[in-house]
Amino acid sequence: TINGTASGTGYITGSPTSSLTFAGNSTGTIYFNPATIDTTNALNNLTINTSGTITLGNALYVKGTITPVAGTFITGGNLTLLSDSNGTARIDQMMGTISGNVTIQRYISAKSVRKYSFIGSPVNTTFRNGWQQNIYVTGPGSGGTVCGSTTGDAGLTDKYNSNGFDATQNNASTIFTYNAFLVNGSRWVGIPNTEQTYQSPGTGFRVNIRGDRNSSNVSCQNQLNSGTPSAPEAVKLIVTGSIMSGPVTVALNDTAGQKYTLLANPYPSQISFTALKDSNSSINNKMWSYSPFGNGNYTTYSVGIIANGATGYDNTRGDYLAIGQAFFVEASKNGSVNFHETHKVNGTIPNTKYFGTVNNKLLRVGLNTTTNSLLDEIVVRLNSNGSNMYNPNWDAASFSGASQSLAAIKGGNHLAIATLPDNLNSDTAQIGVTSSAKGTYRLSFNDYEGIDSATSIILRDKYLKTSQDIRMSHTYDFNVTADTGSVGANRFEVVFTKSVILPISFTNISALENRNGVVINWTVSTENNMASYQVERSIDRKHFTDIATVKATGLNNYTVEDAKPSDGTTYYRIKAIGNDGAISFSNTTLLITHHSPLTTLSIYPNPVQEKLNITLTNSLSNNYKLRILTIAGIEVVKRGEVLVNNSKITLPVSSLAAGVYSIELTDAQGNKQLKTFVKE
């Protein structure tokens, strides 16, 4: 930290892990040691919090964060924000002043094949002075020669055509904007030239990044004139200019032509989409982005939920927009979007996959190959804002255009995120599947833990007239055939059914082990309007499996046998189903079995007051995991590793309340041994 005036001669020697703060009334011109570029003249973090002016006298490279709290920082064109596969430097909220040009890097990962990147620029500069210095930019024009040797436009030896693009045989566009109205049948419109067209901050572009135009490994001819070009190498897009600070306003597309607009983060810092939306009533609460490393479908983010996110992105990180990341928004009315410094966040961007915590009730549905390669994904959400009709504030359209895609159907709309009511006893989500190829595919279901376990979630295959309990089985394989009914919007639906209290009272439920398995008995009173009972089993008291169904007889007493009980701790409960479909559950009963032949236990004293001695016979392990459970199955003691000494374990139990307990030992192979004891 420097608090006063810096004067004299010499250098500051920095490093990519060191940080420097100018505080108090600091002022002066600062020079950094140029011995090793990016190292001795580098910093991790730089803070300007002074009443004075700090001037950079020579090159400085910043890897982490610049925080301009107060004062003036004059760059003199010497400041560079670094970017690589590990992260990208940023400038935090501008409360002070940064004057002068800044060079900003944006690392673009290597790709296995050419795919578009959706990106924007934090600096207002022409494409010729910006990205075209790092990548080949092609487009319509005349003249020029592929990989020419001179820098004029359209001459016989010039590398550029008449519009400033790198000349190719067909002059196909590689940078597009998204237009409100169709041009030649498409809203993707190539930029007209590179010398008069600007990379305006806040505007998103779709860019074919072929790789590094300055590569020492891949030639110009390979990138521009080959039918089998090399896969794109990693490249840094580098722009130089005055950084964007303060409000940035970007016009939305005219909703008479198109309600979607491709925007881009205008700042050299990650921002929060939620913060952006909260200060802009002109857009709805959802966005779409695209990863060239994904499955060919768009990522959708809406009100804290991400669908089809790139690796490393979750419901929290899906809210972040990286430096240079472009994204679609949906307009709620004509107007513009205003970016503000307060939208900046310091949340970690997981990786470069886009070149970039709410307790929800939701079901995430994936369309996969049979080897579990994800093809597309949607989210069905349940909350009080949901409806059975399309709601632009809580439903988000699917942009999917891949050969295999998935959508939630609501009112004819194909959605990536669909929000249903959470106040109905039963509701249905219609799921549409599209595939251009015959074959076997797989639906996968996850992230439904937030939905009350008493709510059943059933997948119905209307084409095959079958159904499946999603809680019991998390995947469903199906075939796409020549029959048009095997795909489309009407094949699948997911039915959510809530439990409703029935006029029934369970007076007893028990589970007893015998030679054939486990016998479950239950008794009910006031058995009115009952259709049937389902016996459910669980090993964790959270996820229950239906093992038997019994018709209601009106006799009040019922018995079912579980021929294949689980070894160890098992929970049973009864689900009562009324004639009207209403559901009610009994209490849960606990049964502890010990079928493992490897080890037997003996314990003493029993009852016990202070120390419990455990003797193991035929033990094949020297350490165990140990738990003590109440008779109701509540865990009161848990130890990750207990060592066996001469086939004995001594355990203090004086802190336990008086009562009946079970002690459970689990060896490395998962075998469990259990014994009951009484604590006095």
Side-chain angles (χ1 to χ4, degrees):
T1 300
I2 298 175
N3 286 293
T5 300
S7 61
T9 59
Y11 298 115
I12 291 177
T13 298
S15 76
T17 59
S18 60
S19 297
L20 179 62
T21 296
F22 293 96
N25 60 352
S26 294
T27 188
T29 300
I30 305 298
Y31 296 85
F32 286 85
N33 189 341
T36 306
I37 296 176
D38 292 6
T39 303
T40 56
N41 60 355
L43 291 172
N44 183 23
N45 299 317
L46 173 64
T47 300
I48 310 295
N49 187 11
T50 173
S51 59
T53 297
I54 302 297
T55 302
L56 266 183
N58 64 348
L60 172 63
Y61 298 85
V62 175
K63 182 180 180 181
T65 299
I66 297 177
T67 307
V69 179
T72 300
F73 182 41
I74 300 175
T75 70
N78 293 312
L79 178 63
T80 298
L81 302 183
L82 298 173
S83 179
D84 58 25
S85 60
N86 297 312
T88 299
R90 60 184 288 265
I91 298 177
D92 209 344
Q93 292 187 31
M94 291 279 292
M95 292 175 283
T97 300
I98 296 181
S99 175
N101 285 344
V102 178
T103 298
I104 302 172
Q105 300 179 359
R106 171 69 265 176
Y107 178 84
I108 306 292
S109 299
K111 305 179 183 71
S112 58
V113 294
R114 289 182 176 178
K115 285 190 176 182
Y116 285 107
S117 294
F118 285 54
I119 57 177
S121 172
V123 167
N124 191 35
T125 186
T126 65
F127 284 95
R128 169 64 64 84
N129 293 330
W131 295 338
Q132 199 171 6
Q133 299 298 310
N134 314 120
I135 60 174
Y136 292 106
V137 178
T138 62
S142 59
T145 301
V146 178
C147 301
S149 58
T150 54
T151 58
D153 289 353
L156 293 177
T157 61
D158 292 340
K159 62 177 70 176
Y160 304 119
N161 68 23
S162 58
N163 287 321
F165 294 104
D166 289 287
T168 63
Q169 296 299 325
N170 57 16
N171 288 328
S173 294
T174 55
I175 299 183
F176 300 84
T177 57
Y178 191 75
N179 202 39
F181 298 94
L182 296 173
V183 176
N184 297 324
S186 175
R187 288 190 170 87
W188 290 112
V189 179
I191 61 172
N193 54 66
T194 65
E195 294 169 320
Q196 289 85 40
T197 306
Y198 282 78
Q199 302 173 190
S200 301
T203 300
F205 301 93
R206 187 180 76 167
V207 184
N208 178 8
I209 299 177
R210 296 179 168 95
D212 188 352
R213 76 176 295 149
N214 303 305
S215 171
S216 58
N217 301 313
V218 182
S219 68
C220 172
Q221 288 289 340
N222 178 283
Q223 294 197 40
L224 293 181
N225 203 29
S226 172
T228 56
S230 299
E233 293 180 295
V235 61
K236 292 181 182 180
L237 299 184
I238 302 173
V239 292
T240 300
S242 299
I243 62 169
M244 302 306 299
S245 63
V248 178
T249 301
V250 184
L252 293 169
N253 280 333
D254 187 341
T255 56
Q258 176 59 275
K259 60 183 177 181
Y260 300 107
T261 301
L262 185 62
L263 302 177
N265 179 1
Y267 297 124
S269 170
Q270 50 266 35
I271 62 174
S272 162
F273 173 74
T274 300
L276 173 69
K277 166 60 187 76
D278 287 347
S279 59
N280 284 277
S281 61
S282 57
I283 59 174
N284 291 319
N285 205 350
K286 50 202 164 184
M287 69 169 176
W288 298 261
S289 50
Y290 180 81
S291 169
F293 299 94
N295 51 30
N297 288 311
Y298 285 81
T299 294
T300 308
Y301 180 81
S302 174
V303 198
I305 297 296
I306 189 170
N308 214 45
T311 302
Y313 286 79
D314 53 22
N315 290 338
T316 297
R317 291 175 172 179
D319 183 49
Y320 303 151
L321 289 160
I323 299 169
Q325 185 174 347
F327 58 103
F328 280 100
V329 295
E330 181 185 69
S332 58
K333 59 184 178 182
N334 280 338
S336 58
V337 169
N338 294 301
F339 295 87
H340 297 284
E341 289 282 335
T342 55
H343 299 159
K344 292 180 177 179
V345 292
N346 59 8
T348 302
I349 300 296
N351 48 47
T352 59
K353 294 292 184 180
Y354 284 98
F355 294 66
T357 309
V358 178
N359 183 19
N360 287 285
K361 294 183 178 181
L362 61 92
L363 173 69
R364 194 177 298 274
V365 185
L367 176 63
N368 307 267
T369 65
T370 53
T371 57
N372 293 316
S373 177
L374 184 65
L375 300 170
D376 201 2
E377 183 182 70
I378 62 170
V379 171
V380 178
R381 172 171 48 194
L382 307 174
N383 66 31
S384 59
N385 299 291
S387 66
N388 291 312
M389 300 301 293
Y390 175 74
N391 183 337
N393 290 316
W394 285 89
D395 297 322
S398 170
F399 274 23
S400 191
S403 299
Q404 286 78 31
S405 62
L406 199 63
I409 313 298
K410 188 192 283 191
N413 296 284
H414 286 62
L415 307 174
I417 297 177
T419 305
L420 299 179
D422 190 34
N423 54 2
L424 300 178
N425 292 330
S426 180
D427 208 347
T428 300
Q430 186 178 349
I431 309 296
V433 176
T434 300
S435 177
S436 61
K438 302 174 186 176
T440 302
Y441 299 92
R442 174 172 295 163
L443 295 178
S444 61
F445 307 93
N446 54 70
D447 280 9
Y448 53 77
E449 290 81 2
I451 300 175
D452 186 349
S453 61
T455 298
S456 64
I457 310 173
I458 304 297
L459 172 70
R460 290 179 178 171
D461 185 337
K462 295 188 287 183
Y463 175 66
L464 297 180
K465 298 180 174 58
T466 60
S467 62
Q468 175 176 301
D469 189 329
I470 289 173
R471 293 187 187 275
M472 292 177 59
S473 181
H474 314 319
T475 61
Y476 181 80
D477 290 353
F478 66 97
N479 292 318
V480 173
T481 67
D483 189 334
T484 56
S486 67
V487 292
N490 296 313
R491 174 158 187 179
F492 296 107
E493 63 183 17
V494 175
V495 180
F496 301 88
T497 304
K498 287 188 176 182
S499 301
V500 177
I501 301 300
L502 286 168
I504 184 174
S505 174
F506 289 91
T507 57
N508 177 61
I509 176 173
S510 64
L512 300 173
E513 187 178 13
N514 63 20
R515 291 183 178 181
N516 298 319
V518 174
V519 176
I520 301 98
N521 298 285
W522 68 98
T523 306
V524 297
S525 62
T526 61
E527 190 179 15
N528 299 322
N529 195 33
M530 292 303 305
S532 61
Y533 299 96
Q534 287 183 352
V535 181
E536 297 184 337
R537 179 181 62 204
S538 173
I539 60 173
D540 60 5
R541 213 176 187 180
K542 296 178 181 178
H543 304 90
F544 283 84
T545 301
D546 178 16
I547 63 170
T549 300
V550 178
K551 274 191 173 184
T553 63
L555 299 178
N556 302 98
N557 294 299
Y558 297 88
T559 299
V560 164
E561 186 173 280
D562 183 2
K564 297 180 179 180
S566 302
D567 192 29
T569 303
T570 307
Y571 302 91
Y572 292 94
R573 72 179 183 186
I574 310 301
K575 178 164 69 174
I577 304 172
N579 289 322
D580 58 357
I583 295 171
S584 182
F585 288 88
S586 72
N587 293 327
T588 300
T589 188
L590 166 71
L591 176 70
I592 298 178
T593 59
H594 43 93
H595 298 147
S596 173
L598 297 179
T599 306
T600 58
L601 303 181
S602 60
I603 57 177
Y604 66 95
N606 190 9
V608 62
Q609 292 181 346
E610 299 292 336
K611 292 183 179 180
L612 184 67
N613 298 297
I614 308 164
T615 301
L616 292 83
T617 305
N618 299 325
S619 174
L620 298 182
S621 179
N622 289 323
N623 60 76
Y624 289 79
K625 295 179 180 178
L626 181 146
R627 295 197 306 160
I628 294 179
L629 309 171
T630 67
I631 196 64
I634 300 172
E635 181 182 273
V636 292
V637 174
K638 181 178 181 180
R639 295 191 179 181
E641 184 178 54
V642 178
L643 297 179
V644 179
N645 185 11
N646 294 324
S647 298
K648 293 183 179 180
I649 298 172
T650 300
L651 188 69
V653 294
S654 59
S655 61
L656 295 178
V660 180
Y661 296 89
S662 293
I663 185 166
E664 176 191 273
L665 294 181
T666 305
D667 64 19
Q669 287 73 42
N671 298 305
K672 298 180 186 295
Q673 294 80 37
L674 298 105
K675 203 72 172 180
T676 301
F677 67 94
V678 176
K679 169 63 171 61
E680 292 184 330

